[in-house]
Amino acid sequence: MRSEQEMIDLVLGYAVRDERVRAVTLEGSRTNPNVPKDIFQDYDISFHVTDMDSFIQDPSWIDVFGERLILQTPEDMALFPPDLGGWFSYLMLFTDGNRIDMTLIPIEDKEKYCKGDKLIQILLDKDQSFPKVPAPSDEDFWVQRPSAAFFADCCNEFWWVSTYVAKGLWRKEILYAQDHLHNIIRPMLMKMLEWQVGTQTDFSLSVGKNGKYLKNYLSPGSWNELMSTYPRGTYEEVWDALFAMGRLFRGTALDVADQLGFKYDSEQDQRVSGFLQHVRQLPVDAKEIY
């Protein structure tokens, strides 16, 4: 596997030789001083160029970076509508395990680019025309302090959609139940756990994409409870996961409410939790809920 220095030298070497490339920047985790380095970190590189079309029309220029295992060009895909506003990216995984996410940006967009991200490091500026950027910071990704309204809405959404999971499980519609469990309820639980970490750290850090650093801040009991919310494909395990989520959400939300001076709607919790227990015990041929 090529080293970090070899990869950076390769990128800069190409940029120096190609007059169309006027500047090179590095973004993402490799610029973040709070993220430990490992072999799977991407190289998030941007080339700021004078002639976008010439690059896009002849993509063979990316071959210089090595033998690829797989390539994706999101702005060229029918399944994913372009969202880079005229920029173009090449996501390249190489056979040695290194990965470069290369973005082409018109040089005239340099001001817009610098305002869009605080995790930026300028590697090359041929014309000395780039705005000065501060030292890289992950401040934009810190856990945000919620308002009382945000907190209440999170609690309401969690308990409201819990009833959908119960309905799906009673109907033996496990895909419907799992979808609501993982795609709607779980984000509310994760948000509440993030807020709890925020109260413990004065909302001054990031827990990482998908909460990947949460384990560093949760108690062993909370972590084990969180892990128990990931069921396999049986109805009983999904029921167990739903109630484990409820226990963890309740305890976390009460703590967040206490720390931030909010009110937790315990009556809502109790009513819905009782309903979930009732539905779990309903016979499959029940004609009425109560």
Side-chain angles (χ1 to χ4, degrees):
M1 191 173 193
R2 290 166 292 178
S3 69
E4 180 179 49
Q5 191 60 57
E6 288 177 301
M7 294 300 290
I8 295 298
D9 287 347
L10 180 63
V11 167
L12 290 179
Y14 177 87
V16 167
R17 294 190 301 272
D18 193 323
E19 281 299 307
R20 297 171 298 174
V21 182
R22 306 314 302 166
V24 180
T25 52
L26 177 70
E27 310 95 35
S29 65
R30 286 188 179 270
T31 71
N32 190 343
N34 297 318
V35 173
K37 290 189 176 184
D38 65 41
I39 59 173
F40 284 104
Q41 280 183 301
D42 307 338
Y43 294 88
D44 295 307
I45 300 287
S46 291
F47 275 3
H48 303 263
V49 303
T50 57
D51 187 355
M52 286 274 292
D53 287 344
S54 64
F55 283 100
I56 296 170
Q57 290 171 6
D58 181 11
S60 63
W61 66 274
I62 65 174
D63 294 343
V64 71
F65 301 119
E67 183 181 355
R68 294 185 299 276
L69 188 68
I70 187 170
L71 167 70
Q72 187 175 93
T73 52
E75 289 69 48
D76 214 16
M77 298 175 72
L79 185 60
F80 308 108
D83 63 357
L84 285 184
W87 302 355
F88 196 91
S89 58
Y90 302 83
L91 313 183
M92 300 172 278
L93 178 62
F94 302 101
T95 55
D96 70 347
N98 276 303
R99 172 174 162 173
I100 294 177
D101 288 356
M102 172 72 72
T103 303
L104 294 177
I105 303 174
I107 189 64
E108 56 267 25
D109 284 356
K110 58 181 180 292
E111 298 277 354
K112 173 184 173 183
Y113 165 82
C114 290
K115 291 177 181 177
D117 194 343
K118 288 189 174 72
L119 286 172
I120 293 174
Q121 183 179 347
I122 298 174
L123 302 182
L124 176 67
D125 181 7
K126 291 180 179 177
D127 306 311
Q128 300 298 302
S129 64
F130 249 68
K132 288 188 177 180
V133 297
S137 167
D138 63 0
E139 182 178 353
D140 287 343
F141 304 99
W142 290 357
V143 177
Q144 298 295 302
R145 181 186 297 269
S147 66
F150 269 48
F151 174 82
D153 288 351
C154 179
C155 294
N156 181 262
E157 181 75 347
F158 179 89
W159 292 113
W160 172 255
V161 180
S162 295
T163 66
Y164 288 60
V165 180
K167 176 172 63 178
L169 292 172
W170 182 82
R171 287 174 171 170
K172 299 299 181 183
E173 297 170 346
I174 198 163
L175 295 180
Y176 175 96
Q178 292 264 39
D179 185 66
H180 285 80
L181 183 82
H182 293 297
N183 294 329
I184 304 179
I185 294 179
R186 187 174 300 285
M188 296 300 100
L189 173 61
M190 297 298 286
K191 186 171 293 293
M192 193 62 70
L193 289 167
E194 291 176 6
W195 287 339
Q196 184 181 51
V197 172
T199 65
Q200 297 165 355
T201 59
D202 196 27
F203 295 93
S204 61
L205 55 75
S206 166
V207 294
K209 189 175 183 180
N210 305 116
K212 60 185 178 181
Y213 302 131
L214 267 177
K215 187 178 182 181
N216 298 335
Y217 304 100
L218 297 184
S219 69
S222 290
W223 179 256
N224 290 335
E225 188 83 278
L226 177 60
M227 291 298 98
S228 74
T229 68
Y230 291 88
R232 290 179 293 181
T234 70
Y235 289 95
E236 284 304 304
E237 287 189 352
V238 179
W239 272 117
D240 289 343
L242 176 61
F243 282 101
M245 279 189 175
R247 290 191 300 271
L248 182 56
F249 187 88
R250 178 183 305 113
T252 307
L254 283 167
D255 182 56
V256 171
D258 181 62
Q259 294 297 321
L260 298 180
F262 297 159
K263 175 177 171 52
Y264 179 67
D265 191 342
S266 294
E267 291 184 5
Q268 173 182 251
D269 175 344
Q270 291 168 6
R271 288 193 301 269
V272 174
S273 296
F275 176 81
L276 300 179
Q277 288 281 9
H278 182 73
V279 173
R280 187 174 191 177
Q281 295 165 6
L282 276 178
V284 294
D285 59 350
K287 303 300 181 185
E288 297 179 350
I289 295 178
Y290 292 106

